[in-house]
Amino acid sequence: DAKTTQPNSMESNEEEPVHLPCNHSTISGTDYIHWYRQLPSQGPEYVIHGLTSNVNNRMASLAIAEDRKSSTLILHRATLRDAAVYYCILASPNDMRFGAGTRLTVKP
Amino acid sequence: GAVVSQHPSRVICKSGTSVKIECRSLDFQATTMFWYRQFPKKSLMLMATSNEGSKATYEQGVEKDKFLINHASLTLSTLTVTSAHPEDSSFYICSASGRAIYEQYFGPGTRLTVT
């Protein structure tokens, strides 16, 4: 069973920021928080990961709550190519289960 | 990032035959590989976890005699769907992990159609 909860879908306008939430109240001390996204008929693409501190990379930012029970993926300026299903996953060495994910629609 | 390949990308087979799908990590040693299946408009469902040189650990409800997984080397894992039936038609995806769990890379997937 997935250990994360995400909204089924979200919409954004092009060039606006998007905040994708994820709840993971049962996170353990050694779980990493990973985000992936998937386009139709493709394998998931790595977006970002973190453990305790907020993280930034060229694709996105990851804001992690102080108690680590939730996190938010931030796309600073959504583009049409960012339309995908976004998955938040709690990762441990032998466990990489996907939840239902959030389908992000970006409107021009 | 690291590259994981899958072969074939698409396969059509007749009911009752077996199909082998290969997953290769091209530029790193994958100590752990995961196999998933995905139905249309659904999320990825973890089928099994395999560590190099040991037997795969299957998720509940996944038949290990039907979905044979071999992880014989640090760069190759194979999934064999035995005696395939139309209900086995799905998108099969592998991922490979290096020594650190955050080194997790997914293959492009294999679309299996059983007629």
Side-chain angles (χ1 to χ4, degrees), chain B residues 9 12 18-19 21-22 29 37 42 46 52 58-59 64 66-67 72 74 81 85 87 96 104 106 115:
Chain B
S9 58
I12 300 172
S18 295
V19 174
I21 301 170
E22 291 186 349
Q29 294 186 327
R37 64 187 299 181
K42 299 294 185 181
L46 180 65
E52 186 264 338
Y58 289 81
E59 293 298 300
K64 61 182 180 181
K66 180 169 183 61
F67 299 99
L74 286 171
V81 183
H85 288 96
E87 57 265 31
Q104 188 76 234
F106 284 83
T115 60

Side-chain angles (χ1 to χ4, degrees), chain B residues 18 33 83-84 91 97 112:
Chain B
S18 295
M33 286 187 171
S83 187
F91 193 49
S97 174
L112 170 63

Side-chain angles (χ1 to χ4, degrees), chain A residues 16-80:
Chain A
E16 289 186 355
V18 183
H19 290 228
L20 298 167
C22 181
N23 288 321
H24 30 77
S25 58
T26 60
I27 190 169
S28 72
T30 56
D31 285 337
Y32 278 81
I33 301 161
H34 284 224
W35 283 82
Y36 292 85
R37 68 183 185 183
Q38 187 183 27
L39 297 172
S41 297
Q42 294 186 23
E45 175 190 22
Y46 169 82
V47 178
I48 201 167
H49 79 276
L51 184 61
T52 57
S53 303
N54 295 342
V55 184
N56 298 298
N57 66 22
R58 62 177 179 80
M59 289 181 70
S61 295
L62 176 60
I64 301 173
E66 199 168 330
D67 63 5
R68 301 214 317 135
K69 293 185 177 182
S70 64
S71 61
T72 302
L73 178 70
I74 303 165
L75 306 179
H76 295 286
R77 288 183 64 197
T79 70
L80 297 179

Side-chain angles (χ1 to χ4, degrees), chain B residues 15 17 19 32 47 97 115:
Chain B
S15 188
T17 61
V19 174
T32 304
M47 298 176 68
S97 174
T115 60

Side-chain angles (χ1 to χ4, degrees), chain A residues 1 30 32 34 36 38 41-46 49 87 89 91-101 103, chain B residues 32 34 36 38 41-44 46 49 51 59 91 93 95 97 101-109 111:
Chain A
D1 292 333
T30 56
Y32 278 81
H34 284 224
Y36 292 85
Q38 187 183 27
S41 297
Q42 294 186 23
E45 175 190 22
Y46 169 82
H49 79 276
Y87 295 99
I89 300 166
S92 58
N94 283 298
D95 192 353
M96 280 285 291
R97 295 168 202 273
F98 282 68
R103 182 175 299 278
Chain B
T32 304
F34 299 91
Y36 301 84
Q38 185 177 32
K41 297 193 182 298
K42 299 294 185 181
S43 182
L44 284 76
L46 180 65
T49 304
N51 292 295
E59 293 298 300
F91 193 49
I93 303 170
S95 70
S97 174
I101 185 57
Y102 49 81
E103 292 182 328
Q104 188 76 234
Y105 305 99
F106 284 83
R111 172 119 8 238

